[in-house]
Amino acid sequence: MLAPLDWIEEYIEFKPDIDDFSHRMTMIGQKVEGYRRESDEIINVFVGKILNLDNHPNADRLLYGKVDVGNKELQFVTGAKNTAVGDLVPVAVDGALLHGGIKIKSGELRGVASECMLCSAKELGFSKSDYPDAAEDGIMILPDTAVPGTDIADFLKLNVPVFEFEITPNRPDCNSILGLSREASVAFNCNFVQEKPKAPVGTGNIKDILSVEKPSENCLRYSASAIKNVKIKPSPEWMRARLRRSGIRPINNIVDITNYVMLEYGQPMHAFDLRHVEGQKIIVRQAVKGEKITTLDGVERILDETDMVIADMVNPSAVAGIMGGETSGVYDDTDTVIFESAVFKPESVRVTSKKLGLRTDSSMRFEKGVDSKTTVEALCRAMELVEMLGAGEAVDGIIDINTDDYTSPAIELDVKRINKILGTSLTEEFMIMTLLKLGFSVDNNKFVTPPSYRRDVKVLEDLSEEVARVYGYDNIPYSLMEGVALAKTGDLDIFRRGLKQLATGLGLYEAMTMSFMGTQTLDNLNAAADSKLRNAVRISNPLGEETAFMKTTLLGTLMESLSKNFASRQKSVALFELNKIYLPLDNDPLAHEPEMFSVAAYGDFDFFKLKGIVEAVMDYANINDVDYLPVSDNPTFHPGRTAKVVYKGEVLGIFGELHPDVPGNFQIKSRCFVAEISVEKLFALRGPDPAFDPLPRFPAVTRDLALVVDKEVPSADIIKTIEKNGRGLLEKISLFDVYQSKELGDDTKSMAYNLIFRSSDRTLTDKEVDGVIAEILQALNKENIRLRG
Amino acid sequence: MKNRLNEIIRNATAEIAKSADIETLEAARVRYLGKKGELTAVLKSMGSIAEDERRVIGKLANDVRSEIEGSISRRKRELSDIQLKAKLMSEKLDVTLPGTAQKVGKLHPSTKVLNEVVEIFLGMGFEVTEGPDIEFDDYCFGMLNMPKGHPARDIQDTFYINDKVLLRTQTSSVQVRTMLSRKPPFRIISPGRCYRVDTPDATHTPTFHQIEGLVIDRNITMSDLKGTLDQLAKRLYGDDIQTRFRPHHFPYTEPSAEMDAGCFMCRMKGCSFCKGEGYIELLGCGMVHPKVLSGCGIDPDEFTGYAFGVGLDRLTMLKYGINDIRLLFDNDMRFLSQF
C-alpha cells in the first residue's frame, strides 16, 4: 500500500518526522518497506520565464532563446513549437536530473550554445493523465502563479514522501489512508481527526430512477447513490497528484472520485452510467453458466455459477468486485451516474479473480476483506467530493441492502492472562486505554468489543497482541526459559551427519538437488519401462512435466548436476547427496520416504575408487562381511562393471559404471560412476560399536602367494578358499597384484596375495606356517588354482 | 719425556681442531692414540726411565690421553653438528610452493549452517524432530488455524498430490504431529524440506528448507520467545548483534512477530546489504494460537507456547553473501568448492 504522508497528516494532529514515522509505524505493526519522493528523481529543475524566442540560425526545426530562471538568464535550444515569450516553463539547468535517470549538461546544438533544457511533462515523469492540459509533444506550460527560480519540485509539490507499507492479511482496514492514519495516531499518541461526511442532500429521489435486487448471498451489502447533470472533466491537480502517488492513474473527475474514496476508505467503488442500466435496475446475482462479459480491458470473459455479476435487466455490466464491463463506465456525455459501494465475500471474489487471472485494486481489497459498515459512509464521502469538485448534482437518498450478519464478539479482558502470555506486568488501565485508542469499546464489566473493521480480533490472545504492539514489542523483556530440558537429536540424524562428514573425507562434495523428477529423467537413466523407479508419487499441479513426480532415485538429479558441471568444462567432479526419495505406498495415503546416500562422479575416477567409497561407508556403519555381487542386467549400468551390496540377504545398494548410453543422455562425454545406497537399511543393519581387541603380543609371519587362476574366477572366491584353510591363524589377507601375460595365456591370470599369520598365544614358527600354506595350496589345487612357478 | 708429552698434546690439539671432517679426525686419533700412535710409543718407552719419574710421567701420559680423547669427542660432536646443519641446509625447500592437494570434499553450505543452528538449539535444550515431506493437508493447514478456504492454502501456492495430501509448505506439520502424539512440556525444532509453487528465480525455488521450532510448557511467555531467538541471532552472528521484534501476522500464532537481526555486515551501522536499515529480516514467530493448542488436544488454559520458523536457505545466503538461491541447488563445483 502506497500512502502519501500529507494525506495521512490530514487525519492526525501531528506532523511526524519521516524517519520517526517509518520506525514507529513499523514497530506498531505497519511495516514501512521504504519511502520515496517524486522529487528524488527531479533535481535542478526550476521555473523559468521565456524572455525571447528566435529561429535557430542553422536548423529549420529548432528554436532558441533565453529564459529567466530567477537569478540568471540562460540560453536554450528547443524543438518544441508550443512555447511563446512570457511562458512559464520547467527548466533543467546544467547538472539536472530528470525522470528515468536522464542527466542534463550544457552544450551546443548546431552551433548555438545550449545552457539549459525546457522540459515536457513526460520528461518530469508525468503522463497525459497526470497533466491532461500539457501538450504531449511540447513543453509543459506552467500556470501564472509560478515564480521564476522556484524549484519545480516545490512548485509541483513533488517533495511529499510516499510510504510503502507491507499490510499483513489480518489488517485489511490498513489498506486505506484512514486505517493507516488511525494506526499513526496511536503510534504517535495523538488525536485522530475525521469529520464524517454527511448524507447527500439533493433533488429528486434515487428510488425513482433506480432499483436494486440482491439475490446473491455472496454480496454482503449493496449501497448506491446517484448524481445527475454530471460534468465529466479532469479532476483537480491535488486529487490527480494523490492518485498518482498512490499508484493509480487519473482518468476523469467521476472515476477519480471512486478511486480516491477507495484509497481513503478502503472501500472499492464503481460508477455506472444510468443510460446503460437496462430497466434502471441493478441485480446482484451469480452468473449463468456460459454467460459472457467483455471487461473494461477489452477481454471477453466467460463466466459460470461461481462468479458473481452486477447486472441490469438484460446483461451483466460488471464482474462483481473485480472489474466493470466495457459498457458500464462513464462517458464524456454521461448525464446520470450511479455510485456503487458494495461488499462482496472474499472467497467469492478470490475464486473468480484467480480463475479469470484478473487482479485489480478492487478485487485485492475484497479478497482481503472490506468492512461492510463503511459502504454508506464511503458513498457520502464520494458525494461530498462530487460537490467539492462541481462534478454534478446529488440525487437525494441512498439505496442500501445489507445482509451482513456479523456481530463483534465481546471478549473478557483478562489482565492477568495477557501479562502471562507476554511476560509483562502491564496495568489494566494501560490496556483499556490502548484498546480505546484503537477504536475498541470496553464496557463496565471489562468486556471488550472490537470495531467492525477489526474482524480479525476474536479471542483474548488477539487482544494481547493489540496491547503488546502498542506497548512495544521492544519493551517486552528478553528472558531465557527456566527448567531443564533433555536436548537430543535422533540417532539417525547423528548417523547421517557422520556419514556426510565421512563422504567429504573421501573426496566427495555434498550436493543438494530438488525433490522432483520427470519421466524424461528416468528415460535418461535408461530405466526399463517396468522399472520400479517409475512407480512414483505424482503431483497434481506440477510446475511442468519435468518436475511432475517426486523422485524415486537421487541419481537422476545428481546426473543433471554432473551434466551442468560438464557443460561448464569441469574436468573432474565427484558429488554425493544424502536425501529422501519418495515411494508410493499401497495402504497409506502418504509415502515411504527413505533416505539414500548417492554418489555420482566423472573425470579422475574409476570403479575401484567408487568401491573404496562404498567399502568405507560399510565400515562406517560397522557392517562387515558384505557380499559384492556382480550385476549385469540393470539397463542403467555397465553390465560388466556393476555390483550390488548384499548383507544378510538385504540389498543395501548398487554401484558401478553407468551404461555408456546414460552419460550421453545427460550430455556428458565421459564415463560416469554412480552409487546409491539405502541409508535407511544401512542405519537399520548398522553394527554395534566394535569392542576393543587387545593388541597382539606375538609377532606375525607373512607370506606372499602368487597364484595362477582361470580368468573368470573372482578374487572373492580365492580369498574364501584361503581363509577357510587358514587354520584360524590367518589374520589378514590382501590382494596386491593382478597380472596377465602371453606366457600365462589368454584364459588365465596371476593373482598375488599377502597373507599375515598370527597366533594369540604363541610365536609362530616358519615350519608351522609352511604347513598351513601347504594346506591352503592343496585346497586351491582342488579348484584348479596353482602356485605360479 | 715430559717435553715429548707436551709436544704431543700441543700437536694433537692443533690437529684435532684443524680436522675438517670425521675421516681426518679419525686419522688424528690413530696417529696419536692408535696402537702405533705417538702416545702409545711414549708409553712403550716408559720402561727405560726411573721408577719415581715413571709414576709422574705415567700420570701425565694418562692425562694427555684423556685430554686428547676429550678433544676428539668434542670435535666429533662439532663436526657432526656441522655436517647435520649442512645436510639440513641442502634439504631446504621452497615453503611457498603449494602443498600436495589432498582429495577432500566439502559439505554443502546449507548443511553447515543447519548443523550450526541445530547445535545452538541443542544447547538450549531443544530436541530435533522430523516428519514426512508428503503430508496430510490437515497437518499442514487445517490444524494450524487455516481451514479450507483460507487464502494461505491456495492451490496456486501449494503442490497437491490429491485432495487430502500435499507437499508440506512448512515443517509446522511436524509440530502438529508432535503435539498430537506427545504430552507437553516439550521444546522441539524440526528442520526439513518444504515446497511452494514458485518458478525458480533469484529468491524463490519450489523446494526450500525450513527450521521450525515449538516450545510448549506451563508459563511460557513472549518474553521467553524473545530471549531464545535473541540467543539464536547472537550465536549465529556475534554477541553484539541486537534483535528487533515487530508485530506481524500468522494464522497459527497470536501475538505474532517478525524478528529482525542487526545487520552483521555493517554491525548495525547501515549498509547496502541491509538497505541502510541496520537490520535484516530473519524469521517469523509468535505465541501458539489457542485454537491450535486445543485442536491438538492441549489445554490452552494450562499450557502456553511459542513457535518460530526460519528459512535455512535464507540463513545460508545471508551467512555467505550468496545472492541467488538457485545456486544452492545447482551443485556447480565452482560454487560447492568455496565453502
Side-chain angles (χ1 to χ4, degrees):
Chain A
M1 167 88 190
L2 293 172
L5 185 57
D6 65 338
W7 204 346
I8 288 175
E9 281 173 344
E10 259 182 36
Y11 293 107
I12 58 170
E13 282 183 335
F14 190 70
K15 291 241 175 276
D17 165 81
I18 291 172
D19 288 332
D20 197 26
F21 184 76
S22 291
H23 176 72
R24 291 212 201 184
M25 290 302 276
T26 296
M27 296 312 282
I28 204 168
Q30 309 307 335
K31 193 187 179 207
V32 171
E33 298 278 24
Y35 67 87
R36 54 178 284 275
R37 300 175 171 94
E38 288 173 310
S39 59
D40 290 348
E41 57 169 16
I42 307 293
I43 293 167
N44 279 333
V45 181
F46 301 94
V47 175
K49 185 173 190 170
I50 296 176
L51 298 174
N52 55 58
L53 198 59
D54 283 304
N55 288 322
H56 193 290
N58 308 322
D60 293 347
R61 292 167 179 273
L62 296 180
L63 301 167
Y64 82 109
K66 287 235 157 135
V67 65
D68 168 17
V69 289
N71 52 355
K72 59 187 164 203
E73 292 173 10
L74 298 172
Q75 182 161 294
F76 64 87
V77 177
T78 180
K81 304 284 186 220
N82 69 325
T83 52
V85 172
D87 278 350
L88 290 153
V89 293
V91 179
V93 305
D94 186 50
L97 190 68
L98 297 182
H99 176 68
I102 294 159
K103 287 179 186 141
I104 301 302
K105 283 206 171 83
S106 58
E108 206 178 82
L109 225 67
R110 295 255 192 135
V112 173
S114 162
E115 299 171 307
C116 64
M117 188 181 102
L118 311 189
C119 303
S120 67
K122 202 174 166 188
E123 280 156 340
L124 296 178
F126 303 124
S127 68
K128 177 81 183 154
S129 55
D130 296 321
Y131 283 95
D133 298 335
E136 250 179 300
D137 296 316
I139 302 303
M140 183 176 185
I141 309 293
L142 301 171
D144 297 346
T145 48
V147 177
T150 311
D151 193 316
I152 198 77
D154 290 333
F155 181 71
L156 295 176
K157 299 194 176 62
L158 305 180
N159 293 318
V160 176
V162 180
F163 286 86
E164 187 181 353
F165 289 96
E166 178 200 346
I167 307 295
T168 51
N170 60 325
R171 294 302 304 275
D173 61 304
C174 286
N175 276 311
S176 71
I177 295 295
L178 282 170
L180 287 170
S181 303
R182 221 181 271 122
E183 289 284 301
S185 74
V186 178
F188 285 92
N189 198 14
C190 65
N191 286 329
F192 172 70
V193 279
Q194 185 209 3
E195 232 174 87
K196 296 269 181 193
K198 292 182 185 70
V201 183
T203 53
N205 194 311
I206 186 165
K207 294 200 168 103
D208 297 334
I209 56 170
L210 183 75
S211 62
V212 176
E213 271 178 29
K214 189 184 82 62
S216 174
E217 285 177 7
N218 285 325
C219 174
L220 297 172
R221 188 169 187 176
Y222 198 95
S223 312
S225 64
I227 38 173
K228 59 189 177 186
N229 298 329
V230 168
K231 290 180 271 301
I232 299 289
K233 57 185 177 185
S235 59
E237 190 178 342
W238 61 265
M239 184 177 273
R240 281 182 275 133
R242 280 192 174 168
L243 293 177
R244 182 181 73 235
R245 286 169 195 149
S246 306
I248 288 185
R249 193 162 62 95
I251 309 280
N252 58 45
N253 50 359
I254 296 297
V255 175
D256 289 359
I257 285 170
T258 61
N259 284 327
Y260 192 86
V261 174
M262 174 180 74
L263 292 172
E264 203 167 50
Y265 280 78
Q267 169 66 58
M269 293 181 76
H270 192 65
F272 296 98
D273 183 333
L274 185 64
R275 281 181 303 178
H276 295 282
V277 181
E278 286 292 334
Q280 294 183 307
K281 184 170 190 173
I282 286 172
I283 307 163
V284 186
R285 59 168 170 84
Q286 295 304 113
V288 180
K289 193 166 174 61
E291 196 165 9
K292 286 176 191 164
I293 181 172
T294 303
T295 40
L296 270 173
D297 53 5
V299 180
E300 190 187 67
R301 316 273 177 180
I302 300 166
L303 309 174
D304 62 37
E305 302 88 337
T306 56
D307 307 312
M308 189 183 0
V309 293
I310 311 297
D312 55 24
M313 293 295 280
V314 184
N315 292 311
S317 50
V319 183
I322 301 175
M323 193 179 267
E326 209 172 27
T327 54
S328 77
V330 292
Y331 302 84
D332 288 347
D333 62 347
T334 294
D335 177 75
T336 304
V337 161
I338 307 295
F339 278 140
E340 163 195 300
S341 177
V343 173
F344 308 105
K345 277 189 183 165
E347 309 88 81
S348 165
V349 173
R350 185 162 54 237
V351 166
T352 300
S353 164
K354 282 267 152 69
K355 195 177 70 189
L356 301 182
L358 193 57
R359 236 176 156 238
T360 58
D361 286 302
S362 164
S363 73
M364 183 272 284
R365 283 181 165 79
F366 284 124
E367 278 181 37
K368 289 177 178 165
V370 172
D371 177 21
S372 64
K373 279 246 167 84
T374 330
T375 55
V376 171
E377 192 181 323
L379 275 181
C380 295
R381 175 62 169 158
M383 301 303 276
E384 185 180 84
L385 289 167
V386 165
E387 196 182 334
M388 190 191 291
L389 269 51
E393 294 160 25
V395 174
D396 226 12
I398 281 177
I399 291 176
D400 182 24
I401 306 176
N402 185 3
T403 53
D404 186 17
D405 55 2
Y406 173 78
T407 46
S408 302
I411 307 159
E412 191 178 0
L413 183 68
D414 185 339
V415 174
K416 215 174 125 191
R417 185 156 166 83
I418 289 179
N419 277 321
K420 202 182 147 186
I421 292 167
L422 301 179
T424 51
S425 44
L426 303 175
T427 61
E428 182 182 279
E429 192 193 354
F430 173 81
M431 292 186 191
I432 292 176
M433 212 177 62
T434 298
L435 292 166
L436 291 175
K437 266 194 289 189
L438 287 166
F440 291 60
S441 58
V442 184
D443 71 11
N444 291 334
N445 297 321
K446 306 280 170 356
F447 275 86
V448 180
T449 304
S452 168
Y453 53 83
R454 289 302 308 275
R455 299 188 183 190
D456 59 309
V457 177
K458 295 174 188 128
V459 292
L460 182 84
E461 282 71 11
D462 296 316
L463 294 184
S464 75
E465 179 173 275
E466 296 304 303
V467 170
R469 69 189 184 94
V470 175
Y471 175 62
Y473 279 17
D474 267 6
N475 294 322
I476 295 172
Y478 289 95
S479 62
L480 281 177
M481 292 175 289
E482 288 170 6
V484 177
L486 276 181
K488 66 174 182 206
T489 182
D491 289 342
L492 175 63
D493 188 45
I494 293 167
F495 183 79
R496 183 196 291 145
R497 279 208 243 177
L499 185 52
K500 284 185 177 188
Q501 203 67 57
L502 170 76
T504 63
L506 295 169
L508 303 173
Y509 284 83
E510 187 186 5
M512 196 168 85
T513 64
M514 304 246 183
S515 305
F516 315 118
M517 65 172 190
T519 44
Q520 186 61 48
T521 317
L522 296 177
D523 293 346
N524 286 345
L525 284 173
N526 270 7
D530 60 348
S531 166
K532 61 181 183 203
L533 293 180
R534 295 193 188 269
N535 180 21
V537 177
R538 193 185 162 85
I539 299 165
S540 68
N541 57 331
L543 281 175
E545 266 317 298
E546 68 284 4
T547 53
F549 293 94
M550 296 303 284
K551 61 189 179 187
T552 51
T553 170
L554 304 183
L555 293 180
T557 46
L558 269 182
M559 282 306 291
E560 281 159 8
S561 295
L562 280 195
S563 174
K564 276 184 218 160
N565 278 295
F566 188 82
S568 69
R569 295 165 192 271
Q570 300 292 307
K571 280 207 184 82
S572 188
V573 177
L575 303 175
F576 82 93
E577 180 171 12
L578 199 169
N579 232 324
K580 284 177 177 179
I581 58 169
Y582 307 86
L583 307 174
L585 290 169
D586 287 338
N587 306 314
D588 190 328
L590 302 188
H592 179 45
E593 302 183 3
E595 287 176 32
M596 306 302 272
F597 173 83
S598 301
V599 176
Y602 70 77
D604 180 18
F605 214 83
D606 59 36
F607 176 86
F608 291 105
K609 236 180 212 184
L610 183 64
K611 185 169 179 192
I613 287 168
V614 173
E615 285 168 336
V617 169
M618 295 304 141
D619 187 51
Y620 167 75
N622 294 315
I623 293 179
N624 307 310
D625 309 322
V626 181
D627 287 321
Y628 296 99
L629 305 178
V631 174
S632 56
D633 58 354
N634 187 321
T636 302
F637 288 89
H638 189 303
R641 295 184 170 189
T642 302
K644 57 184 173 184
V645 188
V646 181
Y647 178 66
K648 291 188 177 165
E650 280 274 0
V651 178
L652 300 186
I654 186 168
F655 66 95
E657 186 175 329
L658 284 179
H659 189 283
D661 287 349
V662 176
N665 293 343
F666 288 96
Q667 284 82 47
I668 300 171
K669 290 192 193 96
S670 169
R671 291 172 186 266
C672 291
F673 302 86
V674 303
E676 186 151 82
I677 295 168
S678 164
V679 174
E680 185 188 46
K681 289 183 185 171
L682 206 59
F683 179 70
L685 297 171
R686 73 192 188 284
D689 277 346
F692 167 70
D693 217 355
L695 302 184
R697 288 168 56 209
F698 300 96
V701 176
T702 54
R703 288 283 192 277
D704 287 348
L705 287 184
L707 304 170
V708 178
V709 300
D710 186 277
K711 210 178 93 188
E712 294 301 320
V713 175
S715 175
D717 291 0
I718 303 172
I719 289 176
K720 250 181 214 153
T721 307
I722 295 174
E723 279 175 341
K724 212 159 64 190
N725 294 283
R727 263 201 241 158
L729 296 174
L730 182 62
E731 183 182 75
K732 198 179 165 192
I733 173 165
S734 45
L735 177 78
F736 69 89
D737 190 34
V738 182
Y739 170 76
Q740 276 182 285
S741 71
K742 260 189 201 151
E743 296 94 75
L744 288 170
D746 283 349
D747 298 334
T748 46
K749 61 184 173 184
S750 160
M751 313 277 282
Y753 294 92
N754 178 266
L755 284 65
I756 299 173
F757 296 93
R758 197 196 300 273
S759 161
S760 58
D761 55 11
R762 63 188 189 281
T763 300
L764 292 179
T765 62
D766 279 346
K767 208 177 145 196
E768 199 174 355
V769 173
D770 288 346
V772 180
I773 292 284
E775 272 176 43
I776 288 173
L777 287 174
Q778 216 172 3
L780 288 172
N781 275 335
K782 278 185 202 155
E783 291 173 27
N784 250 338
I785 299 167
R786 55 196 165 73
L787 201 58
R788 201 170 135 208
Chain B
M1 213 156 220
K2 211 179 200 169
N3 290 344
R4 177 73 189 126
L5 284 172
N6 282 335
E7 193 188 318
I8 286 172
I9 195 155
R10 213 170 34 248
N11 291 346
T13 309
E15 207 168 310
I16 288 163
K18 253 194 345 214
S19 57
D21 51 46
I22 300 288
E23 290 73 34
T24 344
L25 187 63
E26 179 59 14
R29 190 190 66 80
V30 172
R31 173 143 62 253
Y32 295 104
L33 305 180
K35 275 181 190 162
K36 290 176 184 166
E38 289 181 23
L39 187 62
T40 320
V42 172
L43 291 173
K44 273 183 186 162
S45 63
M46 282 229 310
S48 63
I49 57 172
E51 176 142 2
D52 53 345
E53 203 179 341
R54 197 189 312 163
R55 211 181 308 128
V56 178
I57 295 298
K59 186 179 180 303
L60 186 62
N62 275 333
D63 289 350
V64 167
R65 167 179 284 274
S66 65
E67 198 169 319
I68 293 173
E69 279 172 346
S71 300
I72 288 173
S73 74
R74 269 197 304 280
R75 182 62 185 159
K76 209 176 207 165
R77 246 182 338 239
E78 277 170 23
L79 283 177
S80 68
D81 277 358
I82 290 167
Q83 226 169 24
L84 181 64
K85 238 177 233 164
K87 180 171 184 265
L88 295 182
M89 285 321 285
S90 75
E91 290 172 353
K92 188 175 152 186
L93 297 176
D94 179 355
V95 296
T96 65
L97 290 176
T100 310
Q102 303 297 310
K103 282 259 169 159
V104 176
K106 284 177 174 174
L107 289 177
H108 194 281
S110 294
T111 299
K112 293 172 82 166
V113 175
L114 173 64
N115 290 347
E116 198 178 343
V117 173
V118 167
E119 287 307 322
I120 292 169
F121 281 108
L122 285 177
M124 290 192 282
F126 282 71
E127 272 177 65
V128 180
T129 53
E130 294 173 290
D133 294 17
I134 299 177
E135 184 58 284
F136 289 112
D137 175 293
D138 222 24
Y139 289 0
C140 197
F141 290 130
M143 305 200 72
L144 289 165
N145 201 21
M146 287 177 277
K148 290 251 186 249
H150 194 279
R153 57 189 297 170
D154 205 295
I155 174 92
Q156 306 242 356
D157 302 324
T158 308
F159 288 116
Y160 277 89
I161 304 301
N162 56 46
D163 286 353
K164 292 197 172 85
V165 179
L166 45 69
L167 300 186
R168 65 179 175 192
T169 56
Q170 46 184 355
T171 55
S172 305
S173 51
V174 183
Q175 306 181 350
V176 171
R177 284 173 175 271
T178 305
M179 285 190 279
L180 287 172
S181 63
R182 289 170 54 174
K183 283 195 163 32
F186 42 73
R187 304 174 185 181
I188 58 164
I189 56 164
S190 39
R193 195 162 260 217
C194 303
Y195 305 85
R196 228 160 268 180
V197 183
D198 273 321
T199 309
D201 63 25
T203 50
H204 300 88
T205 43
T207 300
F208 59 98
H209 300 86
Q210 287 281 111
I211 305 166
E212 311 214 3
L214 173 73
V215 173
I216 310 267
D217 204 342
R218 294 171 184 88
N219 304 320
I220 289 292
T221 68
M222 193 155 171
S223 164
D224 297 326
L225 160 85
K226 282 186 68 179
T228 308
L229 295 177
D230 182 61
Q231 280 301 310
L232 171 69
K234 287 188 162 54
R235 303 278 176 89
L236 279 176
Y237 302 124
D239 279 342
D240 60 324
I241 287 300
Q242 285 167 28
T243 49
R244 179 175 86 170
F245 290 77
R246 288 179 285 105
H248 200 74
H249 173 72
F250 303 106
Y252 31 88
T253 51
E254 192 72 35
S256 302
E258 271 189 341
M259 183 182 88
D260 301 333
C263 176
F264 50 88
M265 292 296 239
C266 58
R267 308 319 286 185
M268 308 182 65
K269 287 187 194 79
C271 63
S272 61
F273 190 70
C274 57
K275 295 185 193 103
E277 276 193 61
Y279 284 96
I280 286 168
E281 203 176 302
L282 209 61
L283 55 82
C285 54
M287 302 302 290
V288 182
H289 198 288
K291 264 193 183 170
V292 173
L293 289 176
S294 53
C296 291
I298 296 171
D299 180 4
D301 288 330
E302 184 181 0
F303 290 99
T304 50
Y306 64 80
F308 56 89
V310 55
L312 172 63
D313 311 286
R314 180 169 166 73
L315 285 186
T316 307
M317 291 169 75
L318 283 176
K319 170 155 184 151
Y320 297 105
I322 299 164
N323 56 6
D324 190 330
I325 189 173
R326 288 169 296 191
L327 285 168
L328 296 176
F329 292 92
D330 273 353
N331 304 311
D332 190 317
M333 280 299 285
R334 295 166 296 183
F335 175 81
L336 294 178
S337 57
Q338 287 185 33
F339 304 97

